[in-house]
């Protein structure tokens, strides 16, 4: 099963199309269209397609450097959550009529999912913003060592992130999502190599991609360390946590421009910038099976614009 290199000529252009692994499915977002393909419990492929404005007709705030990062990031989070929930609903097998009264209504299901998302955000903030600063703050006289304090906070944050991704990856359902993540990357790589979108061609492509969300998160972590170097060490851990949260829009905006730079240029600086995220993708992507590749192809095809110039990054 699949090699981790482009064995048929490699990348010929950089596509604007990006995607996300869902529950037994994949979402792709192109310049003009978005699509979600899911494998239903009966084995068939369910496909949804909708209009997008990610190209030249996108709003100014999604195209302006150092402003677009936050808006695009928030938009991606909202869409990712929305279609993850939709993909989960598609996996719910209909029960017998006598058990139908026990099922949650659609509205109740949505409420439960929103509550779950809010709890998840709070836990993530505590784990990746508050806990590292609290733990480093316990080190005696750490404030007296200049940039050592923000560096240690960053190291702890990265260690927690890697550990978290590894542990959740041990779960069967998440492991399958990692496989769909690999299928998404390999299919986009096949598209960028300008090869026919067949299972055989996709299978040969790399599952690592420099413009992946995993790479973006690592750049956010690195830029966050740099920003915290300008915050006084003498502040309490909770004050540094609040400042870290307050400066998050700036960190995200700068990180977005960095990943665009890394995605469009190949030099020593961009290779160093991309290296941690690409290494992390060894955890967050797995080699997919052919049925998953079929889902990725089904999701990608509707997103390819007729005018190929609209698709170039």
């Amino acid at each position: 099963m699949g090699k981790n290199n482009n064995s048929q000529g490699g990348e010929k252009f950089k596509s604007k199309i990006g995607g996300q692994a869902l529950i037994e499915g994949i979402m792709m977002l192109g310049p003009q269209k978005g699509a979600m393909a899911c494998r239903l419990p009966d084995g068939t492929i369910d496909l949804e397609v909708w209009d997008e404005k990610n190209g030249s007709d996108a709003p100014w705030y999604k195209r302006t450097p150092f402003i677009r990062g936050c808006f695009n990031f928030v938009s991606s989070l909202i869409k990712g959550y929305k279609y993850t929930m939709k993909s989960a609903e598609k996996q719910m097998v209909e029960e017998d009529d006598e058990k139908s009264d026990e099922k949650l209504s659609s509205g109740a299901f949505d409420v439960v999912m929103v509550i779950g998302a809010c709890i998840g955000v709070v836990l993530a903030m505590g784990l990746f913003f508050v806990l590292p600063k609290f733990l480093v703050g316990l080190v005696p006289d750490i404030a007296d060592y200049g940039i050592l304090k923000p560096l240690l906070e960053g190291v702890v944050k990265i260690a927690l992130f890697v550990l978290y991704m590894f542990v959740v990856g041990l779960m069967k359902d998440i492991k399958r999502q990692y496989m769909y993540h690999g299928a998404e990357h390999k299919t986009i790589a096949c598209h960028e190599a300008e090869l026919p979108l067949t299972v055989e061609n996709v299978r040969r492509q790399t599952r690592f991609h420099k413009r992946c969300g995993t790479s973006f998160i690592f750049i956010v972590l690195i830029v966050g360390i740099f920003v915290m170097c300008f915050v006084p060490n003498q502040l309490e851990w909770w004050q540094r946590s609040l400042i870290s949260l307050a400066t998050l829009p700036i960190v995200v905006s700068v990180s977005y421009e960095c990943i665009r730079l890394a995605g469009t240029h190949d030099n020593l600086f961009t290779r160093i910038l991309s290296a941690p995220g690409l290494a992390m993708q060894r955890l967050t992507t797995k080699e997919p099976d052919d049925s998953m590749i079929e889902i990725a192809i089904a999701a990608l095809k509707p997103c390819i614009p007729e005018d190929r110039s609209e698709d170039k990054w």
Side-chain angles (χ1 to χ4, degrees):
M1 170 78 64
K3 299 175 183 178
N4 288 338
N5 58 5
N6 288 336
S7 61
Q8 292 191 9
E11 181 183 83
K12 295 204 170 52
F13 82 106
K14 301 178 190 299
S15 174
K16 288 182 180 178
I17 299 173
Q20 176 179 322
L22 306 174
I23 298 173
E24 295 300 325
I26 289 173
M27 175 184 68
M28 294 284 190
L29 297 176
Q32 299 162 352
K33 297 287 183 180
M36 175 180 74
C38 292
R39 181 75 66 181
L40 299 182
D42 63 6
T44 60
I45 297 177
D46 179 85
L47 179 65
E48 293 186 23
V49 182
W50 59 89
D51 292 331
E52 282 286 331
K53 289 186 177 180
N54 293 323
S56 58
D57 57 347
W60 67 269
Y61 52 82
K62 286 191 173 185
R63 292 183 283 111
T64 306
F66 295 102
I67 295 178
R68 60 191 174 190
C70 280
F71 289 99
N72 288 326
F73 178 64
V74 172
S75 177
S76 295
L77 287 179
I78 293 173
K79 287 178 181 175
Y81 174 75
K82 174 183 176 181
Y83 289 103
T84 297
M85 293 302 101
K86 290 190 72 171
S87 69
E89 289 184 52
K90 292 179 185 295
Q91 299 306 312
M92 297 175 66
V93 181
E94 292 294 330
E95 300 176 359
D96 296 332
D97 290 340
E98 62 269 18
K99 295 183 179 180
S100 61
D101 292 338
E102 299 177 8
K103 293 180 65 178
L104 285 173
S105 68
S106 177
F109 180 82
D110 290 342
V111 171
V112 171
M113 290 300 99
V114 170
I115 293 174
C118 292
I119 294 174
V121 169
V122 172
L123 291 176
M125 293 299 181
L127 183 62
F128 300 118
F129 286 89
V130 178
L131 184 58
K133 292 172 177 54
F134 173 74
L135 292 176
V136 173
L138 297 177
V139 179
D141 301 321
I142 188 64
D144 298 333
Y145 293 93
I147 64 170
L148 180 60
K149 186 173 185 178
L151 287 177
L152 280 178
E153 291 173 349
V155 169
V156 173
K157 188 183 297 185
I158 291 172
L160 287 172
F161 175 67
V162 173
L163 179 62
Y164 172 81
M165 298 306 291
F166 172 75
V167 171
V168 299
L170 298 176
M171 300 168 59
K172 180 180 177 181
D173 290 342
I174 300 301
K175 184 178 180 180
R176 286 189 64 80
Q177 276 194 273
Y178 286 177
M179 293 170 72
Y180 275 106
H181 191 189
E184 173 226 323
H185 283 190
K186 290 165 82 75
T187 305
I188 291 176
C190 185
H191 173 54
E192 291 181 326
E194 297 185 338
L195 296 170
L197 291 174
T198 65
V199 171
E200 182 178 6
N201 284 340
V202 171
R203 194 190 300 130
R204 293 191 176 103
Q205 307 306 311
T206 178
R207 75 176 199 265
F208 307 116
H209 202 289
K210 289 199 296 185
R211 298 188 294 280
C212 172
T214 306
S215 297
F216 175 72
I217 292 174
F218 252 98
I219 293 175
V220 167
L221 296 175
I222 293 169
V223 173
I225 294 172
F226 178 78
V227 170
M228 291 306 295
C229 287
F230 296 93
V231 177
N233 286 344
Q234 288 71 26
L235 295 178
E236 297 291 336
W237 63 267
W238 61 269
Q239 294 172 310
R240 292 177 64 82
S241 298
L242 290 176
I243 292 174
S244 182
L245 288 171
T247 56
L248 186 58
I250 298 174
V251 172
V252 168
S253 296
V254 173
S255 300
Y256 185 81
E257 301 306 319
C258 286
I259 199 167
R260 285 183 65 91
L261 180 67
T264 54
H265 295 78
D266 185 17
N267 52 51
L268 179 60
F269 173 73
T270 59
R271 286 195 290 271
I272 292 173
L273 192 62
S274 301
L278 290 172
M280 187 65 187
Q281 287 177 44
R282 296 186 178 278
L283 282 181
T284 62
T285 67
K286 302 295 181 183
E287 286 295 331
D289 60 36
D290 289 354
S291 69
M292 295 173 176
I293 292 174
E294 291 174 353
I295 293 292
I297 292 173
L300 177 62
K301 282 184 174 180
C303 299
I304 301 174
E306 293 183 8
D307 182 358
R308 299 300 290 269
S309 65
E310 280 285 319
D311 190 22
K312 291 185 179 180
W313 182 276

